[in-house]
Amino acid sequence: RFGELSARTVFSAVVRKHRDKARTFLRRLAWRDLAYWMLWKLPCMADEPIRPQYVQQWWDTNAAHLKAWQRGNTGFPLVDAAMRQLWVTGWMPNYMRHVVAGFLVE
């Protein structure tokens, strides 16, 4: 679409050269491509929920709460430790991503 390599081209090259070592990479590539396909198929996803029951979802717009979450200053030790690890290392374990994401949206 934008002049880059297609997901199929990347998939084929990786399978050909690194079949046994590339399982995680290929799974991530598939999820990435699925997200692009979903936005192409349902362009409204960028602006509104695809499930009608979430249309009336209320979101907190308190900037101070968001900043506290981003900086790891929520007062919840598990969430704060994960966010601080992200700031320091640039990485966070998958399970912790679920924890902090759940905290943000709940």
Side-chain angles (χ1 to χ4, degrees), residues 6-7 12 28 50 52 54 63-64 87 106:
S6 73
S12 297
R28 289 178 181 167
I50 58 173
Y54 294 125
W87 274 103
E106 290 297 326

Side-chain angles (χ1 to χ4, degrees), residues 38-39 41-59:
M38 290 285 292
L39 279 171
K41 189 76 173 163
L42 301 166
C44 64
M45 277 182 54
D47 302 313
E48 60 189 59
I50 58 173
R51 293 184 180 179
Q53 64 266 34
Y54 294 125
V55 170
Q56 299 302 318
Q57 176 75 38
W58 176 80
W59 295 99

Side-chain angles (χ1 to χ4, degrees), residues 7 28-40 45:
R28 289 178 181 167
L29 179 66
W31 279 109
R32 175 193 162 277
D33 207 50
L34 175 64
Y36 280 128
W37 179 81
M38 290 285 292
L39 279 171
W40 172 77
M45 277 182 54

Side-chain angles (χ1 to χ4, degrees), residues 65-78:
H65 290 169
L66 178 60
K67 184 63 80 177
W69 176 81
Q70 291 170 333
R71 297 291 180 180
N73 293 317
T74 65
F76 291 85
L78 185 63

